[in-house]
Amino acid sequence: MKHYIGFATAGSIMTMIFLAISNYLTTPDTIWFIYPCLLLLLWPTTMYVVIRKTYKSYSVFCSLMFISLLVFENYKDSPDVPWFLYAVYPIIWWPVFMYLGRKAALMRVALIGSLCTIIYYALLNIILSPQYPWALYPAFLVIWWPLSLYHGKKKTFVSFSIQAAILISIFFIVVNAVSSPNTIWAIYPIFGVLWWPLSMYFYVYRRRNC
């Protein structure tokens, strides 16, 4: 297997050099060779990880690589807007989950992770783009993590449907009030959502009485 890793490493380096020279000779004003080089870098790295089973280190390496690419792209094309901050946060959770292992399924991890996510994007919203409270959307999505985990372990599916319907209704009401307060449209999706707990209740009731 060492020969395979050596072959992959030598082939990747040789191809990277070729792409860098081609970039410099043909289009020196546009740096494009970096993108295929990142993929080529994953070739020997992935082979090494599969052989050594160092998956945690691999997640850290890949996360740092992708974050570096995003930072490079950000400051190359639009240095005035640090948009890479929006994408960095979910990438960081990959190695975090890898190192947590089975603990990632714990309720306290879900609560802490959800709270950190809400705070992180709320701060970005306030600091970078306070014109519209878009942090509502990631906050709504991430709340489902502890909610689903809790009811999944307890197997309280009727309660889950009721609480989820309330959560969805609150979300639509808030979005309606923030985005278009002069048009009351939230009642339409809320009406559709109410059928979820209603059908769950009658399904369980019928099962108990059959």
Side-chain angles (χ1 to χ4, degrees):
M1 297 304 295
K2 292 182 180 180
H3 295 292
Y4 288 111
I5 296 175
F7 173 76
T9 304
S12 298
I13 294 173
M14 181 178 66
T15 308
M16 289 178 187
I17 295 173
F18 170 76
L19 292 173
I21 295 173
S22 300
N23 190 172
Y24 177 76
L25 294 177
T26 58
T27 54
D29 297 332
T30 304
I31 303 175
W32 53 262
F33 79 96
I34 294 176
Y35 310 109
C37 284
L38 288 175
L39 295 177
L40 287 167
L41 189 61
L42 289 176
W43 179 18
T45 306
T46 304
M47 291 190 66
Y48 178 83
V49 168
V50 171
I51 295 171
R52 298 290 184 180
K53 300 183 186 299
T54 55
Y55 303 111
K56 295 179 180 178
S57 301
Y58 182 69
S59 65
V60 174
F61 171 77
C62 290
S63 298
L64 291 175
M65 186 180 68
F66 288 127
I67 290 172
S68 301
L69 176 63
L70 291 174
V71 173
F72 171 77
E73 280 294 313
N74 191 168
Y75 284 97
K76 180 174 70 73
D77 297 331
S78 53
D80 297 332
V81 182
W83 54 260
F84 76 93
L85 293 173
Y86 300 102
V88 163
Y89 183 80
I91 295 175
I92 292 174
W93 277 97
W94 178 17
V96 170
F97 280 130
M98 290 296 294
Y99 276 93
L100 285 174
R102 294 182 179 179
K103 293 181 180 179
L106 296 176
M107 189 64 191
R108 65 173 177 267
V109 174
L111 291 172
I112 295 172
S114 300
L115 183 61
C116 291
T117 304
I118 292 171
I119 294 173
Y120 178 82
Y121 283 108
L123 290 175
L124 284 183
N125 193 171
I126 295 170
I127 297 171
L128 299 180
S129 54
Q131 300 84 6
Y132 182 80
W134 54 263
L136 291 169
Y137 303 102
F140 169 72
L141 292 176
V142 80
I143 288 174
W144 287 89
W145 179 11
L147 185 64
S148 303
L149 184 62
Y150 174 80
H151 289 288
K153 289 183 176 181
K154 297 290 185 179
K155 299 187 184 302
T156 52
F157 303 113
V158 176
S159 299
F160 173 66
S161 65
I162 295 172
Q163 294 178 16
I166 294 172
L167 174 64
I168 295 171
S169 300
I170 294 173
F171 171 74
F172 280 119
I173 291 171
V174 173
V175 172
N176 191 168
V178 169
S179 60
S180 53
N182 297 324
T183 305
I184 302 175
W185 52 262
I187 57 174
Y188 304 110
I190 290 174
F191 175 76
V193 169
L194 291 177
W195 285 92
W196 179 13
L198 184 64
S199 59
M200 288 293 295
Y201 173 77
F202 279 101
Y203 172 74
V204 173
Y205 178 79
R206 184 180 176 184
R207 260 182 95 179
R208 288 177 180 175
N209 290 274
C210 286

